[in-house]
Amino acid sequence: MKKINYGILSTASIVPRFVAGVNASQHGFVKGIASRSIEKAELLAKELAIPNVYGSYEAICQDSEIEIIYVATYNKAHYSAAMLALKNGKHVLLEKPFCLNVKEAKELFAYAKEHNLFIMEAQKAVFLPATLKVKELIETGIIGKIRYVNASSSHLGVERIKWFDSLESGGGALFGSGTYPLEYLQFVLGNQFSSWTGTCLGKPNQSDSQCTLSLKLGEDTLATIFITTLVDAPSALTIYGEKGSITIPNYWKATELTVTINGEESEIFKFPMLSEFAYEVDHVNNCLEKGFIQSPWMSESVTVSTITIIETMYQEWLGNGLLTIK
């Protein structure tokens, strides 16, 4: 398999970790990076040994040697940046959240499909070896029929993200981290959410700083999701079956999991890794090699289902006054 050349839009803080993932992948290569400030792009390119630098998003999207664009802009710009790449004939790996509303997401998938281009939401959690092991264990029935899931994650230090408090920019606890548990559960349980409700904390004219969702998957499984930027709470996801449970600490970047049967710890599985992004990149490269226009794991159905939940929750919170926008 030949090397696949990646171009990166943005110099966001996630970029160095993504580049490390491409470098650790089997067939990826970061060919170039673009920023509205060419000085920022030059500094990061030098630090990460990226050969080509561009002073505009348009320029990198027009480079014929780049095959796929990784979009890591701030959330509100995801749609416009991804559409720019698609309209220049590039495949797209688009950071989470894919878009801020369902309309934009469907437009991107429709354009990609019409022009035979690959597009996928960058959801690294789905592709981790630990995640695949969780899915395998569930399918073997070792913990029995799944009845309840509890997911909790703490994300301190959001003050360094200058637009985090702006809901219009796509800031907020749910926009920022809600895709992790929502898409993780759809993948490992093989089912979509059938109902949901939730509440949040937020200051006037700011995004949510903490939220809780209560959801139902299919007909038989309940789930609770808690996301906070305010307190140092445990970050883990536990799946409860009728015979036992599986607990995955830091599930979106997991290196281990514990299986408990009949109340007693039975086995700990460990998955050391160089980069939590490498598995996602390998999956994307494999999809491109096979000519896929969507991932069989992170498909349009999974992404749109997730955005539907997030969009309706924000509409509800704005409607009942839990959140306000100037």
Side-chain angles (χ1 to χ4, degrees), residues 212-278:
T212 300
L213 304 183
S214 296
L215 313 98
K216 187 176 183 180
L217 286 108
E219 297 299 322
D220 302 313
T221 306
L222 297 180
T224 302
I225 295 172
F226 172 64
I227 303 169
T228 183
T229 66
L230 301 178
V231 297
D232 188 13
S235 293
L237 185 147
T238 302
I239 301 168
Y240 295 91
E242 293 175 342
K243 299 178 183 178
S245 63
I246 303 171
T247 298
I248 313 101
N250 298 315
Y251 58 94
W252 64 91
K253 54 181 180 180
T255 57
E256 66 177 68
L257 60 94
T258 301
V259 179
T260 301
I261 304 298
N262 298 324
E264 296 184 4
E265 183 179 293
S266 64
E267 190 167 4
I268 298 176
F269 297 88
K270 294 185 179 292
F271 303 89
M273 57 187 176
L274 291 174
S275 166
E276 74 264 36
F277 289 86

Side-chain angles (χ1 to χ4, degrees), residues 175-186:
F175 265 142
S177 301
T179 59
Y180 281 131
L182 292 171
E183 290 166 351
Y184 189 101
L185 292 178
Q186 288 180 77

